[in-house]
Amino acid sequence: MDATILGRTKMVYYPMLATFGIPANVLTIVTLTRGKCGLSRCISRYLLAMAIADLTVLIMDIVFNRIKDMYFPVSFLDYTPICIFKFVLILDVIDCSVWLTVAFTVDRYIAICLQKLAAKYCTEKTAAMVIIVVIMLSFMLNTGFYFIFQLAETIDNIQMFCIIKSTFYSSPVWVTYYWIRRIIMPFIPFVLISLLNVLTIRHIARATRVRRQLLASGKSACQSDPEAENRRKSIVLLLTISGSFIVLWIVNLLYKILLNLTDGTLFHGDYTDPLTILGETGFMLQSLSSCTNTVIYAVAQNKFRAEMATIIKSPFVLTKTLIKSLFK
């Protein structure tokens, strides 16, 4: 691929992603906060936390990192202390976004497949505790990255930019830490989400088959089944959220695997290198996962879609009311 093609694609893609994704996540946060979507408070907690995490990823990684580097190569964000803090914070919020998706998948798996445990686990209080633990562990996991960077250069007596220390790739301690980090992200979340989805689908298939047999043996085989309908809505929401994560992260996962089999270097700057092209494509798809949930909620949940439409219309309704009152 021509380096200019990949570069130009990124210059258009990331601004478009931010333009759509940031308002979409803000709208999702407002909609979920109102609590009128017909979702349980437990589910709403997870979806709200995921929307906030996705919004933070878009702001920190897409706007202040990728778009900034393309259009504003040098700014106050490149001061060495800010550069280090920004890089680690981006890792933190991406980890939060991913592990919140895992937490939501675990919650829905328990709610659907382990109904005896669900009464105690699938509660608003438990959801809040899980979200707090996920955030704390995500930040703790990446604390070590504060110490792998050093000053890149000094411009007019100002410390600018940050680079990885040369000892990072040779020190046994840092190599171990880096490999643990690679295994935890995104391999374990990918495996967990995939496994839980398979188990959930298998459980629902069995339950549906048994329920159909029971209904068929009753007086009316054509009677409605509201429980099956509720189960269907729940599984649609679960599978679309976790399924989109798998689809959008699989290229990045492949890139990490190939990177481990080659030189293991963190960054490649040659846009003509196939591994770099694969990595950049993976990052672009991974970033897209930060703004797909809004579309999923709108498609899968009628009440969410209606509530979102009400919020979008409210400024126009208010303006119309004010105009009418002025011209009475």
Side-chain angles (χ1 to χ4, degrees):
M1 178 184 289
D2 189 342
T4 57
I5 296 176
L6 181 57
R8 288 174 182 174
T9 301
K10 289 171 58 179
M11 293 184 73
V12 174
Y13 177 79
Y14 287 122
M16 288 181 62
L17 193 65
T19 301
F20 170 78
I22 292 176
N25 277 293
V26 170
L27 183 59
T28 299
I29 292 169
V30 174
T31 304
L32 291 171
T33 303
R34 288 165 61 91
K36 298 179 180 179
C37 303
L39 299 170
S40 70
R41 298 182 67 87
C42 174
I43 295 177
S44 295
R45 285 268 188 178
Y46 283 113
L47 299 186
L48 181 60
M50 290 161 64
I52 294 173
D54 288 342
L55 175 64
T56 310
V57 169
L58 288 169
I59 294 173
M60 293 304 305
D61 191 18
I62 304 304
V63 176
F64 289 158
N65 183 34
R66 301 187 187 278
I67 294 177
K68 174 262 163 194
D69 286 349
M70 290 186 295
Y71 291 96
F72 307 98
V74 180
S75 73
F76 74 94
L77 293 174
D78 294 308
Y79 295 160
T80 301
I82 298 177
C83 175
I84 296 173
F85 176 76
K86 180 186 69 174
F87 181 81
V88 178
L89 184 59
I90 289 172
L91 292 177
D92 290 336
V93 296
I94 290 176
D95 281 10
C96 283
S97 178
V98 171
W99 283 105
L100 285 171
T101 304
V102 175
F104 173 75
T105 306
V106 171
D107 179 87
R108 291 300 86 199
Y109 167 75
I110 293 174
I112 295 170
C113 303
L114 306 174
Q115 294 185 359
K116 290 184 179 180
L117 178 61
K120 296 182 178 180
Y121 183 85
C122 301
T123 64
E124 183 181 7
K125 183 179 180 180
T126 302
M129 291 177 59
V130 170
I131 291 168
I132 292 172
V133 170
V134 166
I135 294 172
M136 292 177 61
L137 290 179
S138 296
F139 277 71
M140 289 172 58
L141 176 65
N142 296 304
T143 302
F145 281 104
Y146 279 106
F147 306 101
I148 72 171
F149 290 96
Q150 64 183 10
L151 168 68
E153 58 182 302
T154 302
I155 302 175
D156 296 331
N157 294 323
I158 300 176
Q159 296 181 342
M160 296 294 293
F161 308 107
C162 54
I163 58 174
I164 296 175
K165 296 177 181 178
S166 58
T167 56
F168 176 74
Y169 295 102
S170 58
S171 169
V173 174
W174 285 121
V175 169
T176 302
Y177 174 76
Y178 182 49
W179 274 97
I180 291 174
R181 176 64 174 72
R182 279 196 172 183
I183 292 172
I184 294 176
M185 274 292 295
F187 293 101
I188 293 179
F190 194 91
V191 171
L192 282 175
I193 291 175
S194 301
L195 177 62
L196 290 174
N197 278 341
V198 170
L199 293 176
T200 303
I201 292 172
R202 187 178 68 174
H203 174 85
I204 289 178
R206 289 179 178 176
T208 301
R209 185 166 57 250
V210 172
R211 192 164 184 82
R212 284 177 178 173
Q213 291 174 353
L214 291 174
L215 289 173
S217 63
K219 294 181 179 181
S220 175
C222 299
Q223 57 186 304
S224 61
D225 187 2
E227 182 177 333
E229 180 63 19
N230 291 334
R231 191 187 298 117
R232 186 191 66 81
K233 291 180 180 179
S234 181
I235 194 61
V236 165
L237 183 62
L238 168 65
L239 293 184
T240 48
I241 290 175
S242 54
S244 68
F245 171 85
I246 292 172
V247 170
L248 295 175
W249 272 80
I250 193 167
V251 176
N252 184 272
L253 182 66
L254 177 61
Y255 167 69
K256 295 287 180 64
I257 293 173
L258 293 176
L259 200 61
N260 292 336
L261 297 176
T262 55
D263 60 4
T265 304
L266 269 173
F267 303 106
H268 295 259
D270 183 8
Y271 279 2
T272 60
D273 176 36
L275 190 59
T276 301
I277 295 171
L278 181 67
E280 291 294 340
T281 303
F283 291 140
M284 291 168 71
L285 292 174
Q286 170 191 320
S287 302
L288 182 60
S289 67
S290 296
C291 61
T292 55
N293 284 348
T294 301
V295 177
I296 290 171
Y297 304 158
V299 172
Q301 298 291 322
N302 295 332
K303 289 185 178 180
F304 181 90
R305 184 166 61 251
E307 183 67 14
M308 181 179 288
T310 301
I311 294 173
I312 294 173
K313 292 176 184 177
S314 58
F316 301 100
V317 174
L318 179 60
T319 302
K320 183 179 178 181
T321 303
L322 290 173
I323 293 174
K324 284 184 177 180
S325 64
L326 290 173
F327 289 95
K328 278 185 177 180

